[in-house]
Amino acid sequence: GNWQAELAEWVGLWTGVHAGLAALADAASGLQVDRQRMRANIDALQGRVYTEACTVRLAAVIGRPRAQALLEQLSSRVAAEGRPLQALLLEAVAGDSQLAAALAPADLAPLFDPAVAAQPAMARATPWLAALAREFPR
């Protein structure tokens, strides 16, 4: 019998959902993608945006705790020294016999490619966007 009391809340819930979607649609309609500016923002981070991908890749070789500790150290050095994470990571891998035996520099290069980093999100978003386009054609 308690479910009848919940019905009174549905109006407010759906009103809130509608308002949120309307605001999102309004914001998205004026959205303009500036690829050059986006890339400049990524580059300004000197590779730190890729630390999670690097951690996952190194964790396969040295375990997650050690990989996390290494990437934290390298990220601090990026900030302190102003050197890109990719260069520091290559040096760290070359200086560690276990990592050097398992990873070549070519294995690490894709970790710093924004197109590669975006692939999982694109793979998840593309089917949803296609379904929405079919459901709500313009």
XYZ file of all heavy atoms in Angstrom, residues 44-133:
646
model
N 48.843 21.287 -22.864
C 49.282 22.114 -21.736
C 49.455 21.289 -20.466
O 50.203 21.687 -19.574
C 48.284 23.246 -21.498
N 48.807 20.148 -20.387
C 48.932 19.276 -19.212
C 50.196 18.418 -19.262
O 50.466 17.662 -18.333
C 47.687 18.393 -19.083
C 46.403 19.157 -18.788
C 45.203 18.234 -18.890
C 46.479 19.795 -17.412
N 50.940 18.513 -20.345
C 52.227 17.825 -20.506
C 52.126 16.312 -20.298
O 53.024 15.679 -19.758
C 53.276 18.421 -19.579
C 53.588 19.860 -19.907
C 54.603 20.432 -18.973
O 54.336 20.609 -17.798
N 55.780 20.723 -19.510
N 51.012 15.739 -20.718
C 50.847 14.289 -20.651
C 50.203 13.779 -19.388
O 49.881 12.601 -19.282
N 49.986 14.635 -18.403
C 49.414 14.159 -17.138
C 47.998 13.632 -17.299
O 47.549 12.842 -16.484
C 49.462 15.259 -16.080
C 50.871 15.448 -15.532
C 50.935 16.562 -14.556
N 50.896 17.808 -15.328
C 51.045 19.008 -14.794
N 51.209 19.139 -13.508
N 51.027 20.072 -15.554
N 47.320 14.016 -18.370
C 45.978 13.511 -18.617
C 45.997 12.011 -18.933
O 44.992 11.331 -18.814
C 45.290 14.327 -19.743
C 45.922 14.043 -21.090
C 43.797 14.082 -19.782
N 47.148 11.491 -19.271
C 47.277 10.082 -19.645
C 47.797 9.194 -18.511
O 48.128 8.028 -18.736
C 48.208 9.945 -20.855
C 47.769 10.771 -22.036
C 48.500 11.875 -22.447
C 46.597 10.457 -22.731
C 48.087 12.644 -23.530
C 46.186 11.222 -23.812
C 46.929 12.316 -24.206
O 46.517 13.068 -25.264
N 47.880 9.706 -17.309
C 48.472 8.928 -16.222
C 47.712 7.642 -15.930
O 48.335 6.626 -15.619
C 48.594 9.754 -14.923
O 47.311 10.271 -14.576
C 49.586 10.887 -15.077
N 46.400 7.661 -16.022
C 45.641 6.433 -15.732
C 45.940 5.354 -16.765
O 46.147 4.187 -16.415
C 44.142 6.714 -15.673
C 43.302 5.492 -15.359
C 43.590 4.872 -13.984
O 44.105 5.565 -13.089
O 43.290 3.678 -13.818
N 45.989 5.719 -18.034
C 46.314 4.741 -19.077
C 47.719 4.180 -18.860
O 47.948 2.979 -19.025
C 46.204 5.382 -20.458
N 48.639 5.039 -18.481
C 50.009 4.581 -18.207
C 50.039 3.654 -16.998
O 50.724 2.623 -17.016
C 50.927 5.780 -17.968
S 51.152 6.834 -19.406
N 49.292 4.008 -15.971
C 49.239 3.166 -14.774
C 48.714 1.778 -15.113
O 49.290 0.770 -14.683
C 48.345 3.824 -13.694
O 48.902 5.093 -13.344
C 48.252 2.959 -12.454
N 47.659 1.713 -15.880
C 47.075 0.420 -16.251
C 48.080 -0.405 -17.051
O 48.245 -1.605 -16.810
C 45.764 0.622 -17.043
C 45.276 -0.681 -17.659
C 44.692 1.228 -16.142
N 48.770 0.232 -17.987
C 49.733 -0.500 -18.828
C 50.908 -1.010 -18.001
O 51.334 -2.151 -18.131
C 50.226 0.403 -19.964
C 51.151 -0.288 -20.933
C 50.418 -1.395 -21.688
N 51.301 -2.095 -22.577
C 51.898 -3.269 -22.271
N 51.701 -3.852 -21.112
N 52.686 -3.856 -23.143
N 51.451 -0.160 -17.121
C 52.569 -0.578 -16.289
C 52.144 -1.595 -15.234
O 52.923 -2.479 -14.874
C 53.217 0.629 -15.617
C 54.371 1.287 -16.373
C 53.953 1.758 -17.750
C 54.953 2.427 -15.577
N 50.925 -1.486 -14.759
C 50.430 -2.422 -13.736
C 50.435 -3.853 -14.246
O 50.620 -4.794 -13.464
C 49.029 -2.026 -13.287
N 50.261 -4.034 -15.540
C 50.303 -5.383 -16.111
C 51.687 -6.005 -15.956
O 51.827 -7.231 -15.978
C 49.905 -5.337 -17.589
N 52.696 -5.174 -15.762
C 54.068 -5.660 -15.642
C 54.545 -5.663 -14.190
O 55.147 -6.638 -13.726
C 55.028 -4.808 -16.510
C 56.468 -5.279 -16.376
C 54.588 -4.818 -17.967
N 54.257 -4.572 -13.470
C 54.839 -4.416 -12.128
C 53.802 -4.373 -11.004
O 54.153 -4.176 -9.852
C 55.729 -3.150 -12.052
C 54.925 -1.887 -12.372
C 56.945 -3.309 -12.942
C 55.694 -0.590 -12.172
N 52.539 -4.541 -11.339
C 51.486 -4.485 -10.320
C 50.974 -3.069 -10.135
O 51.706 -2.103 -10.346
N 49.710 -2.970 -9.751
C 49.067 -1.663 -9.649
C 49.681 -0.745 -8.586
O 49.914 0.441 -8.873
C 47.567 -1.825 -9.419
C 46.820 -0.505 -9.523
C 45.397 -0.721 -9.995
N 44.712 0.519 -10.214
C 44.688 1.181 -11.361
N 45.312 0.701 -12.408
N 44.036 2.299 -11.484
N 49.962 -1.223 -7.385
C 50.520 -0.300 -6.388
C 51.841 0.339 -6.834
O 52.040 1.544 -6.690
C 50.719 -1.178 -5.152
C 49.753 -2.289 -5.316
C 49.678 -2.543 -6.794
N 52.715 -0.468 -7.389
C 54.006 0.063 -7.829
C 53.837 1.005 -9.034
O 54.491 2.052 -9.114
C 54.949 -1.084 -8.176
C 56.343 -0.623 -8.466
C 57.337 -1.763 -8.532
N 58.539 -1.294 -9.211
C 59.258 -2.020 -10.039
N 58.942 -3.278 -10.253
N 60.318 -1.522 -10.621
N 52.929 0.640 -9.936
C 52.674 1.499 -11.098
C 52.087 2.839 -10.659
O 52.486 3.893 -11.160
C 51.733 0.796 -12.074
N 51.149 2.805 -9.722
C 50.570 4.054 -9.224
C 51.628 4.928 -8.558
O 51.663 6.145 -8.783
C 49.442 3.763 -8.236
C 48.177 3.281 -8.904
C 47.100 2.912 -7.901
O 47.391 2.391 -6.826
N 45.857 3.162 -8.266
N 52.453 4.321 -7.752
C 53.506 5.088 -7.074
C 54.456 5.728 -8.088
O 54.838 6.900 -7.948
C 54.270 4.183 -6.109
N 54.820 4.976 -9.103
C 55.719 5.502 -10.127
C 55.073 6.668 -10.866
O 55.703 7.716 -11.067
C 56.117 4.398 -11.114
C 56.988 4.839 -12.292
C 58.292 5.458 -11.821
C 57.249 3.663 -13.227
N 53.814 6.515 -11.256
C 53.151 7.592 -11.991
C 52.911 8.817 -11.130
O 52.967 9.951 -11.621
C 51.845 7.090 -12.623
C 51.954 6.614 -14.074
C 52.376 7.706 -15.011
C 52.839 5.419 -14.234
N 52.677 8.628 -9.853
C 52.556 9.784 -8.949
C 53.871 10.541 -8.891
O 53.901 11.769 -8.940
C 52.145 9.327 -7.556
C 50.682 8.931 -7.453
C 50.312 8.411 -6.078
O 51.026 8.735 -5.094
O 49.318 7.693 -5.983
N 54.960 9.786 -8.779
C 56.286 10.404 -8.738
C 56.569 11.147 -10.049
O 57.037 12.292 -10.035
C 57.354 9.336 -8.498
C 58.762 9.876 -8.535
C 59.799 8.760 -8.595
O 59.508 7.638 -8.983
N 61.021 9.082 -8.214
N 56.285 10.512 -11.160
C 56.550 11.142 -12.459
C 55.667 12.368 -12.669
O 56.130 13.380 -13.208
C 56.352 10.129 -13.587
C 57.336 8.955 -13.619
C 56.989 8.000 -14.754
C 58.775 9.438 -13.713
N 54.425 12.307 -12.226
C 53.529 13.465 -12.358
C 54.036 14.647 -11.546
O 53.954 15.802 -11.991
C 52.116 13.097 -11.915
O 51.543 12.174 -12.807
N 54.565 14.370 -10.377
C 55.157 15.438 -9.564
C 56.362 16.051 -10.275
O 56.567 17.273 -10.246
C 55.583 14.898 -8.205
O 54.458 14.495 -7.466
N 57.134 15.205 -10.919
C 58.300 15.706 -11.650
C 57.878 16.542 -12.858
O 58.542 17.524 -13.192
C 59.187 14.543 -12.091
C 59.956 13.934 -10.930
C 60.889 12.834 -11.392
N 61.853 13.316 -12.399
C 62.521 12.505 -13.207
N 62.367 11.190 -13.128
N 63.372 12.997 -14.082
N 56.780 16.156 -13.503
C 56.272 16.962 -14.621
C 56.012 18.379 -14.138
O 56.415 19.362 -14.770
C 54.988 16.346 -15.227
C 54.320 17.319 -16.188
C 55.294 15.037 -15.934
N 55.325 18.489 -13.001
C 55.005 19.807 -12.455
C 56.260 20.560 -12.027
O 56.388 21.763 -12.274
C 54.046 19.651 -11.275
N 57.189 19.870 -11.402
C 58.389 20.529 -10.873
C 59.391 20.890 -11.963
O 59.993 21.967 -11.938
C 59.060 19.636 -9.830
N 59.569 19.990 -12.922
C 60.611 20.169 -13.930
C 60.101 20.752 -15.237
O 60.893 21.199 -16.064
C 61.293 18.828 -14.213
C 61.976 18.214 -13.003
C 62.485 16.807 -13.263
O 62.646 16.422 -14.445
O 62.723 16.082 -12.275
N 58.798 20.670 -15.460
C 58.240 21.164 -16.720
C 58.521 20.262 -17.905
O 58.388 20.677 -19.051
N 58.911 19.029 -17.633
C 59.182 18.077 -18.715
C 57.929 17.241 -18.956
O 57.182 16.949 -18.027
C 60.359 17.175 -18.333
C 61.659 17.968 -18.207
C 62.826 17.095 -17.828
N 63.013 16.042 -18.815
C 63.550 14.849 -18.523
N 63.952 14.579 -17.300
N 63.697 13.950 -19.450
N 57.699 16.801 -20.182
C 56.502 16.006 -20.471
C 56.566 14.622 -19.826
O 57.635 14.011 -19.710
C 56.477 15.902 -21.991
C 57.743 16.450 -22.495
C 58.478 17.106 -21.373
N 55.401 14.147 -19.443
C 55.294 12.833 -18.813
C 55.838 11.732 -19.712
O 56.485 10.807 -19.237
C 53.836 12.538 -18.439
C 53.576 11.171 -17.802
C 54.309 11.044 -16.474
C 52.090 10.944 -17.620
N 55.593 11.823 -21.001
C 56.043 10.769 -21.907
C 57.567 10.602 -21.846
O 58.078 9.482 -21.775
C 55.599 11.055 -23.341
C 55.890 9.915 -24.292
C 55.243 10.110 -25.653
O 54.705 11.171 -25.955
N 55.277 9.084 -26.471
N 58.292 11.705 -21.840
C 59.757 11.624 -21.779
C 60.208 11.030 -20.451
O 61.112 10.185 -20.411
C 60.362 13.010 -21.975
N 59.593 11.466 -19.366
C 59.958 10.942 -18.049
C 59.625 9.460 -17.928
O 60.389 8.686 -17.336
C 59.252 11.732 -16.958
C 59.673 13.202 -16.822
C 58.780 13.925 -15.832
C 61.133 13.310 -16.429
N 58.507 9.058 -18.496
C 58.125 7.649 -18.443
C 59.094 6.793 -19.249
O 59.495 5.708 -18.809
C 56.690 7.454 -18.942
C 56.161 6.023 -18.918
C 56.137 5.474 -17.496
C 54.772 5.963 -19.534
N 59.478 7.258 -20.416
C 60.445 6.510 -21.228
C 61.754 6.324 -20.465
O 62.344 5.248 -20.495
C 60.678 7.213 -22.558
C 59.528 7.128 -23.566
C 59.770 8.057 -24.744
C 59.313 5.703 -24.023
N 62.196 7.366 -19.776
C 63.417 7.262 -18.980
C 63.251 6.264 -17.837
O 64.148 5.462 -17.557
C 63.800 8.630 -18.414
C 64.304 9.613 -19.441
C 64.524 11.004 -18.860
O 64.433 11.174 -17.619
O 64.780 11.920 -19.665
N 62.091 6.325 -17.180
C 61.838 5.420 -16.051
C 61.791 3.974 -16.514
O 62.328 3.084 -15.846
C 60.533 5.805 -15.356
N 61.172 3.731 -17.645
C 61.090 2.367 -18.175
C 62.481 1.877 -18.556
O 62.858 0.740 -18.246
C 60.109 2.293 -19.367
C 60.245 0.980 -20.118
C 58.678 2.497 -18.887
N 63.242 2.727 -19.210
C 64.606 2.338 -19.606
C 65.489 2.061 -18.392
O 66.372 1.201 -18.447
C 65.227 3.420 -20.474
N 65.225 2.745 -17.296
C 66.028 2.573 -16.100
C 65.582 1.451 -15.177
O 66.205 1.205 -14.151
N 64.522 0.765 -15.523
C 64.001 -0.336 -14.703
C 64.075 -1.613 -15.529
O 63.404 -1.732 -16.552
C 62.556 -0.037 -14.303
C 61.954 -1.095 -13.406
O 61.771 -2.239 -13.881
O 61.630 -0.778 -12.246
N 64.879 -2.564 -15.102
C 65.109 -3.770 -15.915
C 63.824 -4.555 -16.156
O 63.628 -5.101 -17.247
C 66.170 -4.652 -15.263
O 65.756 -5.047 -13.964
N 62.952 -4.626 -15.167
C 61.702 -5.376 -15.337
C 60.808 -4.703 -16.377
O 60.257 -5.370 -17.257
C 60.966 -5.484 -13.999
C 59.739 -6.368 -14.059
C 59.028 -6.469 -12.706
O 59.399 -5.806 -11.743
N 58.013 -7.307 -12.647
N 60.678 -3.379 -16.293
C 59.854 -2.657 -17.268
C 60.501 -2.666 -18.650
O 59.820 -2.864 -19.663
C 59.625 -1.218 -16.802
C 58.673 -1.031 -15.638
C 58.693 0.408 -15.139
C 57.261 -1.438 -16.025
N 61.804 -2.456 -18.700
C 62.510 -2.410 -19.981
C 62.407 -3.739 -20.719
O 62.317 -3.769 -21.951
C 63.966 -2.024 -19.771
N 62.398 -4.850 -19.973
C 62.289 -6.159 -20.612
C 60.890 -6.402 -21.180
O 60.733 -7.157 -22.136
C 62.632 -7.259 -19.603
N 59.891 -5.757 -20.608
C 58.507 -6.023 -21.017
C 57.920 -4.969 -21.941
O 56.953 -5.251 -22.663
C 57.620 -6.139 -19.774
N 58.477 -3.755 -21.933
C 57.875 -2.656 -22.691
C 58.907 -1.962 -23.565
O 59.946 -1.514 -23.079
C 57.279 -1.619 -21.729
C 56.161 -2.092 -20.809
C 55.860 -1.029 -19.776
C 54.924 -2.434 -21.611
N 58.576 -1.835 -24.825
C 59.394 -1.052 -25.745
C 58.805 0.351 -25.832
O 57.624 0.548 -25.546
C 59.392 -1.708 -27.131
N 59.598 1.334 -26.224
C 59.048 2.686 -26.382
C 57.814 2.722 -27.293
O 56.880 3.484 -27.046
C 60.212 3.471 -26.991
C 61.429 2.781 -26.470
C 61.046 1.311 -26.431
N 57.789 1.869 -28.306
C 56.627 1.827 -29.206
C 55.363 1.346 -28.488
O 54.255 1.696 -28.890
C 56.924 0.924 -30.403
N 55.533 0.567 -27.413
C 54.380 0.114 -26.636
C 53.754 1.260 -25.854
O 52.563 1.214 -25.525
C 54.787 -0.978 -25.638
C 55.313 -2.232 -26.308
O 54.845 -2.543 -27.425
O 56.193 -2.891 -25.720
N 54.554 2.258 -25.528
C 54.081 3.362 -24.705
C 53.521 4.525 -25.520
O 52.703 5.293 -25.017
C 55.218 3.857 -23.802
C 55.804 2.803 -22.862
C 56.994 3.364 -22.115
C 54.753 2.289 -21.907
N 53.943 4.669 -26.752
C 53.509 5.802 -27.574
C 51.985 5.913 -27.691
O 51.443 7.018 -27.555
C 54.152 5.727 -28.953
N 51.250 4.819 -27.911
C 49.792 4.947 -28.031
C 49.115 5.463 -26.759
O 48.016 6.007 -26.819
C 49.316 3.527 -28.346
C 50.498 2.829 -28.898
C 51.687 3.457 -28.222
N 49.765 5.304 -25.621
C 49.186 5.784 -24.368
C 49.065 7.302 -24.345
O 48.282 7.853 -23.573
C 50.036 5.329 -23.185
C 50.193 3.825 -22.997
C 51.157 3.535 -21.852
C 48.850 3.168 -22.753
N 49.827 7.983 -25.194
C 49.840 9.437 -25.232
C 49.155 9.994 -26.479
O 49.346 11.153 -26.824
C 51.285 9.940 -25.143
C 51.919 9.615 -23.821
C 52.611 8.427 -23.634
C 51.787 10.477 -22.754
C 53.173 8.120 -22.407
C 52.348 10.177 -21.519
C 53.042 8.994 -21.341
N 48.338 9.195 -27.120
C 47.604 9.603 -28.318
C 46.155 9.897 -27.942
O 45.433 8.999 -27.505
C 47.670 8.480 -29.359
C 47.002 8.844 -30.667
O 46.245 9.825 -30.722
O 47.233 8.113 -31.653
N 45.701 11.149 -28.088
C 44.325 11.471 -27.693
C 43.276 10.685 -28.476
O 42.215 10.365 -27.933
C 44.201 12.965 -27.942
C 45.438 13.409 -28.602
C 46.431 12.298 -28.571
N 43.564 10.339 -29.717
C 42.603 9.550 -30.495
C 42.447 8.159 -29.901
O 41.337 7.624 -29.812
C 43.046 9.465 -31.952
N 43.538 7.572 -29.454
C 43.486 6.255 -28.807
C 42.757 6.367 -27.474
O 41.934 5.519 -27.130
C 44.903 5.679 -28.623
C 44.880 4.418 -27.794
C 45.554 5.412 -29.976
N 43.031 7.432 -26.734
C 42.384 7.625 -25.436
C 40.877 7.796 -25.571
O 40.112 7.377 -24.698
C 42.986 8.835 -24.728
N 40.436 8.384 -26.669
C 39.005 8.641 -26.870
C 38.246 7.425 -27.400
O 37.012 7.398 -27.343
C 38.821 9.814 -27.827
N 38.935 6.423 -27.894
C 38.267 5.276 -28.510
C 37.276 4.566 -27.601
O 36.156 4.267 -28.034
C 39.292 4.291 -29.069
C 39.920 4.759 -30.352
C 41.018 3.822 -30.840
O 41.452 2.921 -30.134
N 41.483 4.053 -32.054
N 37.602 4.263 -26.345
C 36.602 3.583 -25.501
C 35.328 4.410 -25.302
O 34.219 3.868 -25.349
C 37.332 3.367 -24.173
C 38.776 3.390 -24.521
C 38.896 4.353 -25.669
N 35.479 5.707 -25.122
C 34.304 6.558 -24.954
C 33.486 6.607 -26.241
O 32.244 6.558 -26.205
C 34.722 7.965 -24.535
N 34.173 6.697 -27.358
C 33.467 6.712 -28.646
C 32.730 5.405 -28.880
O 31.608 5.397 -29.386
C 34.451 6.980 -29.795
C 34.978 8.393 -29.825
S 33.697 9.612 -30.180
C 33.270 9.161 -31.847
N 33.360 4.299 -28.524
C 32.726 2.995 -28.710
C 31.450 2.881 -27.883
O 30.478 2.256 -28.319
C 33.702 1.869 -28.347
N 31.434 3.480 -26.715
C 30.241 3.431 -25.865
C 29.195 4.439 -26.319
O 28.003 4.179 -26.254
C 30.614 3.689 -24.413
C 31.438 2.555 -23.830
C 31.605 2.687 -22.366
N 30.326 2.379 -21.729
C 30.110 2.474 -20.437
N 31.070 2.868 -19.651
N 28.945 2.176 -19.935
N 29.635 5.629 -26.735
C 28.694 6.702 -27.063
C 28.050 6.538 -28.427
O 26.872 6.883 -28.599
C 29.403 8.053 -26.989
N 28.774 6.010 -29.401
C 28.270 5.946 -30.773
C 26.952 5.180 -30.890
O 26.010 5.685 -31.514
C 29.343 5.380 -31.715
O 30.493 6.245 -31.652
C 28.850 5.282 -33.140
N 26.814 3.990 -30.315
C 25.527 3.298 -30.424
C 24.374 4.065 -29.756
O 23.260 4.076 -30.268
C 25.755 1.956 -29.727
C 27.219 1.781 -29.671
C 27.817 3.145 -29.662
N 24.671 4.706 -28.648
C 23.634 5.486 -27.964
C 23.212 6.682 -28.808
O 22.017 6.981 -28.914
C 24.136 5.965 -26.602
C 24.153 4.878 -25.590
C 25.227 4.163 -25.176
C 23.039 4.349 -24.865
N 24.863 3.235 -24.241
C 23.521 3.331 -24.031
C 21.682 4.652 -24.849
C 22.702 2.597 -23.184
C 20.862 3.931 -24.001
C 21.369 2.923 -23.183
N 24.168 7.359 -29.399
C 23.836 8.509 -30.237
C 23.036 8.078 -31.463
O 22.086 8.758 -31.859
C 25.106 9.246 -30.653
C 25.845 9.949 -29.523
C 27.178 10.502 -30.020
C 24.995 11.055 -28.920
N 23.400 6.947 -32.043
C 22.656 6.438 -33.196
C 21.223 6.082 -32.798
O 20.266 6.382 -33.532
C 23.364 5.221 -33.789
N 21.060 5.460 -31.647
C 19.716 5.109 -31.170
C 18.890 6.358 -30.905
O 17.696 6.409 -31.242
C 19.813 4.251 -29.909
N 19.510 7.368 -30.323
C 18.790 8.622 -30.075
C 18.396 9.304 -31.381
O 17.304 9.852 -31.498
C 19.648 9.563 -29.234
C 19.758 9.220 -27.760
C 20.800 10.097 -27.079
C 18.411 9.355 -27.066
N 19.285 9.257 -32.373
C 18.977 9.867 -33.666
C 17.811 9.157 -34.335
O 16.971 9.794 -34.983
C 20.216 9.847 -34.558
